[in-house]
Amino acid sequence: MFLDKLNNEEQEAFLSLSVHAAKANGVVEEEEKSMIKEYCREMGHSHFNTEDVLPFEKVVEIYGNSEMQNRKIVLMEILGLLYADGTYDEKEKAFIQDFAEKICLDPETVEKQTGLIKKYLELVKEMAESVV
């Protein structure tokens, strides 16, 4: 949704972060793979090798130096990825909390962004059901 607001370095880091997030619970679901492909398309990347990603620590370093708005965008988009398969388990939750803490996002921001993503996904589901 908002990935075009990120600079090139942040976009590249985001793709790596999305792979790390998808692997957080040890299972990369088809929905998550589809979301990563959609992220590539949204940012104008024709290809992204999911086996060649930046280390998590490098991603944290990049976002630690980003504008607060971009940190929140990244958090929201990654939450959307983790909710894409319909579940948000404890390992995924721990991943988000760890990432947010390392890039200086407070728990209230994480809670707010999580609530917004849940509302967004509920609306998308409701709209999809209304056209069937």
Side-chain angles (χ1 to χ4, degrees):
M1 289 184 290
F2 303 106
L3 295 174
D4 63 329
K5 304 239 185 273
L6 305 178
N7 67 39
N8 288 338
E9 181 182 43
E10 291 168 333
Q11 287 183 0
E12 290 294 329
F14 178 78
L15 292 172
S16 292
L17 179 64
S18 66
V19 172
H20 289 296
K23 292 180 176 180
N25 65 353
V27 181
V28 180
E29 300 290 348
E30 285 305 314
E31 296 89 348
E32 293 167 330
K33 290 177 186 176
S34 293
M35 289 285 291
I36 293 171
K37 287 179 186 174
E38 179 59 31
Y39 293 146
C40 288
R41 196 178 76 205
E42 180 181 340
M43 294 185 294
H45 296 267
S46 59
H47 177 71
F48 178 70
N49 182 353
T50 57
E51 299 302 317
D52 184 26
V53 298
L54 294 172
F56 182 70
E57 296 75 22
K58 179 65 178 171
V59 172
V60 166
E61 179 185 323
I62 290 167
Y63 289 119
N65 294 315
S66 294
E67 298 289 327
M68 184 57 70
Q69 175 186 6
N70 291 359
R71 294 178 201 188
K72 290 178 181 181
I73 287 170
V74 167
L75 176 65
M76 183 168 293
E77 295 283 359
I78 290 298
L79 282 165
L81 171 69
L82 294 177
Y83 274 95
D85 63 359
T87 62
Y88 183 58
D89 65 33
E90 290 303 315
K91 289 181 181 177
E92 292 169 328
K93 204 178 280 191
F95 177 87
I96 288 293
Q97 290 170 344
D98 180 53
F99 176 68
E101 182 179 306
K102 287 179 177 174
I103 65 166
C104 300
L105 289 174
D106 57 64
E108 292 79 21
T109 298
V110 174
E111 187 176 323
K112 181 177 182 180
Q113 299 291 56
T114 301
L116 290 170
I117 279 296
K118 286 180 180 180
K119 287 178 187 179
Y120 171 76
L121 293 173
E122 288 171 15
L123 285 172
V124 169
K125 180 180 176 185
E126 187 177 328
M127 288 186 305
E129 289 170 352
S130 75
V131 297
V132 177

